[in-house]
């Protein structure tokens, strides 16, 4: 119970703690109190990698998805997505066979999910500045098709941010 009350206080405190090289914010590291020696334990969040790309153009996102697409992801996702990115056109991500197929335009088969979004919000989602669920609920993202398959899209987004 004490730990539950301390963690939010410690996270607020860490926003102003200066490391030797950079300012530490709670989005990069989380400090948890250690009860045995009155110190703090640093826990890195696995999704906060400095090596992950920061996307500035839509084609770069799909190039990255091509690089990380694998039979494992295809087996896990098993869906065809069409991204209708305003100002950029349509792109497809077919994760139903082999290592998947990614390209511009419509896929050969009928898509399971069509995602309509503007360029700015698309890039924010793949840069993890905007959560897809938040974008959907606020109307910044429109989905049509199988919504259960749309949820599997998060694993594709995560893979696009991980190191090769």
């Amino acid at each position: 119970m004490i730990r539950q009350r301390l963690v939010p206080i410690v996270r607020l405190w860490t926003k102003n703690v200066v490391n030797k090289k950079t300012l530490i914010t709670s989005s990069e590291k989380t400090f948890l109190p250690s009860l045995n020696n009155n110190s703090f334990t640093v826990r890195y969040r696995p999704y906060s990698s400095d090596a992950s790309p920061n996307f500035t153009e839509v084609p770069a996102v799909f190039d990255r998805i091509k690089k990380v697409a694998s039979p494992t992801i295809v087996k896990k996702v098993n869906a065809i997505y069409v991204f209708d990115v305003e100002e950029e056109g349509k792109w497809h991500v077919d994760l139903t066979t082999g290592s998947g197929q990614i390209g511009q335009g419509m896929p050969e088969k009928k898509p399971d999910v069509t995602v309509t979004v503007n360029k700015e919000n698309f890039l924010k989602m793949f840069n993890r500045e905007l959560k897809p669920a938040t974008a959907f609920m606020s109307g910044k993202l429109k989905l049509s098709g199988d919504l259960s398959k749309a949820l599997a899209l998060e694993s594709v987004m995560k893979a696009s941010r991980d190191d090769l």
Side-chain angles (χ1 to χ4, degrees), residues 5-145:
R5 291 182 183 168
L6 284 176
V7 170
I9 294 168
V10 171
R11 285 188 180 156
L12 288 173
W13 176 75
T14 61
K15 289 183 180 181
N16 298 321
V17 174
V18 177
N19 191 353
K20 291 179 183 174
K21 296 180 182 175
T22 60
L23 181 67
I24 300 170
T25 64
S26 61
S27 64
E28 295 168 352
K29 298 179 182 179
T30 301
F31 288 78
L32 297 177
S34 175
L35 299 176
N36 58 358
N37 61 2
N38 295 329
S39 66
F40 293 97
T41 304
V42 179
R43 298 180 83 189
Y44 290 89
R45 295 183 179 185
Y47 58 84
S48 297
S49 170
D50 292 336
S52 59
N54 188 15
F55 301 110
T56 57
E57 293 297 323
V58 172
V61 174
F62 291 103
D63 288 343
R64 180 65 176 181
I65 293 172
K66 279 182 194 177
K67 290 179 183 177
V68 298
S70 67
T72 306
I73 291 176
V74 168
K75 185 177 179 181
K76 183 177 181 180
V77 175
N78 193 30
I80 301 173
Y81 302 96
V82 169
F83 292 89
D84 187 358
V85 183
E86 296 170 9
E87 306 155 21
E88 293 288 325
K90 293 185 180 183
W91 294 77
H92 68 272
V93 177
D94 182 347
L95 299 173
T96 55
T97 58
S99 292
Q101 294 180 336
I102 293 90
Q104 211 164 4
M106 292 296 287
E108 295 174 7
K109 300 175 188 173
K110 182 182 175 199
D112 295 304
V113 179
T114 301
V115 179
T116 305
V117 65
N118 69 23
K119 178 181 176 180
E120 178 185 356
N121 291 326
F122 177 82
L123 293 172
K124 282 182 179 180
M125 283 191 308
F126 278 90
N127 286 326
R128 293 202 178 157
E129 297 168 6
L130 176 65
K131 292 180 180 180
T134 304
F136 178 71
M137 297 302 279
S138 64
K140 295 177 181 178
L141 168 91
K142 295 179 184 171
L143 294 172
S144 60

